[in-house]
């Protein structure tokens, strides 16, 4: 349980709509307690967030096909039948979900992610108490994901330095835009929307992009229990991955 700056023991691993919470798979920065705390603090939200380490089958962590204005290349889920990963499930209330939606750009026409419902058994989520969730939300990149050269989605290494080093090494045009090192990449990308957009287009132009395999779930999920809930629109802007 993330409660302010503290991580406390959970009282249980599964919540439901009666508790006013829905399950969201944490991919990339959303699995970081510090990043979650920062996103919530941007909007003055300090309610606790249950974070449940879970066994997830049918999903892997790929590389988003866009350059983030936060100066890195973010992670994005990809469909991977039979693959088993250990991921966190966040049980978010309406306000918390609205903040994460806003940080992913879900409400924006030019945002980078859509929130989709991944149903069981396509994606099997086991929170560790012997149960299997009926599904969970995840944030799928609207630009697609980067492939590994064979057409299959590239797996995110979990660290930015080796990823950016490899991406720069593979493209002279990318080096022209962002420099030859991860440090130069980050310094040039930081908060430069036009440059980040140019880098995102370059991924597509160089045919480095493939589908995540999860696009088909867009708009197919159960009725959003928080439909119509407030989306943060005033005050600071949460970091966009």
């Amino acid at each position: 349980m993330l409660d302010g700056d503290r991580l406390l023991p959970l009282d249980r691993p599964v919540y439901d709509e009666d508790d006013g919470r829905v399950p969201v798979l944490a991919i990339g920065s959303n699995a970081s307690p510090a990043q979650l705390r920062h996103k919530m603090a941007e909007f003055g939200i300090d309610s606790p967030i249950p974070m449940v380490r879970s066994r997830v089958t049918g999903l892997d962590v790929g590389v988003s096909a866009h350059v983030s204005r936060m100066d890195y290349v973010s992670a994005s889920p990809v469909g991977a039948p039979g693959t088993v990963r250990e991921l966190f499930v966040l049980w978010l209330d309406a306000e918390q979900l609205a903040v994460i939606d806003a940080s992913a750009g879900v409400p924006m026409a030019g945002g980078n992610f859509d929130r989709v419902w991944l149903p069981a058994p396509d994606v099997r989520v086991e929170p560790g108490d012997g149960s299997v969730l009926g599904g969970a939300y995840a944030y799928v990149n609207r630009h697609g994901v980067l492939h590994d050269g064979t057409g299959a989605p590239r797996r995110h290494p979990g660290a930015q330095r080796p990823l950016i080093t490899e991406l720069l090494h593979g493209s002279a045009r990318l080096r022209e835009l962002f420099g030859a090192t991860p440090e130069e990449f980050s310094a040039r990308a930081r908060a430069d929307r036009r440059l980040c957009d140019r880098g995102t287009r370059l991924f597509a132009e160089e045919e480095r992009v493939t589908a995540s395999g999860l696009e088909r779930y867009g708009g197919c999920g159960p009725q959003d229990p928080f439909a119509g809930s407030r989306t943060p629109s005033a005050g600071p802007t949460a970091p966009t991955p």
Side-chain angles (χ1 to χ4, degrees), residues 195-209:
L195 182 60
C196 291
D197 288 347
R198 184 69 191 92
T200 299
R201 292 195 300 271
L202 181 60
F203 285 148
E205 291 167 5
E206 293 192 332
E207 299 182 344
R208 291 184 166 202
V209 181

Side-chain angles (χ1 to χ4, degrees), residues 9 15 30 51 63 72 74 78 80 91 96 105-107 117 123 159 161 219 222 241:
Y15 298 75
N30 285 334
M51 303 179 66
V63 180
Y72 60 92
S74 65
V78 297
W91 289 93
Q96 294 165 348
V106 172
W117 178 259
V123 176
R161 182 181 294 275

Side-chain angles (χ1 to χ4, degrees), residues 15-226:
Y15 298 75
D16 55 35
E17 290 183 33
D18 291 338
D19 300 303
R21 295 185 180 276
V22 294
V24 177
L25 287 168
I27 305 291
S29 65
N30 285 334
S32 164
Q35 183 74 319
L36 280 177
R37 181 75 184 101
H38 177 65
K39 290 182 179 184
M40 296 301 158
E42 287 285 290
F43 292 100
I45 294 175
D46 58 5
S47 51
I49 300 177
M51 303 179 66
V52 181
R53 191 185 298 271
S54 303
R55 176 185 169 94
V56 179
T57 306
L59 207 66
D60 207 347
V61 181
V63 180
S64 296
H66 83 281
V67 179
S68 170
R69 287 183 290 120
M70 297 300 291
D71 73 34
Y72 60 92
V73 182
S74 65
S76 186
V78 297
T83 296
V84 179
R85 293 294 301 263
E86 189 175 74
L87 301 171
F88 279 105
V89 172
L90 312 178
W91 289 93
L92 303 180
D93 63 26
E95 281 194 323
Q96 294 165 348
L97 185 66
V99 168
I100 302 301
D101 276 359
S103 76
V106 172
M108 302 163 53
N112 293 313
F113 292 88
D114 286 318
R115 174 163 51 86
V116 305
W117 178 259
L118 303 179
D122 296 3
V123 176
R124 182 181 176 91
V125 182
E126 302 170 81
D129 63 345
S131 67
V132 178
L133 301 186
Y137 287 107
Y139 291 92
V140 175
N141 201 285
R142 293 174 181 172
H143 305 281
V145 294
L146 300 183
H147 63 70
D148 62 4
T150 71
R154 175 193 295 265
R155 174 178 276 194
H156 201 294
Q160 288 294 312
R161 182 181 294 275
L163 174 62
I164 294 175
T165 297
E166 186 174 347
L167 293 177
L168 290 171
H169 178 74
S171 171
R173 294 172 65 191
L174 197 66
R175 293 194 298 274
E176 290 175 5
L177 292 176
F178 293 96
T181 68
E183 290 78 12
E184 288 180 285
F185 182 100
S186 294
R188 294 187 188 185
R190 190 172 300 122
D192 189 333
R193 180 189 296 273
R194 290 184 179 181
L195 182 60
C196 291
D197 288 347
R198 184 69 191 92
T200 299
R201 292 195 300 271
L202 181 60
F203 285 148
E205 291 167 5
E206 293 192 332
E207 299 182 344
R208 291 184 166 202
V209 181
T210 189
S212 70
L214 303 175
E215 291 81 4
R216 62 194 176 99
Y217 296 105
C220 301
Q223 182 178 359
D224 188 342
F226 301 140

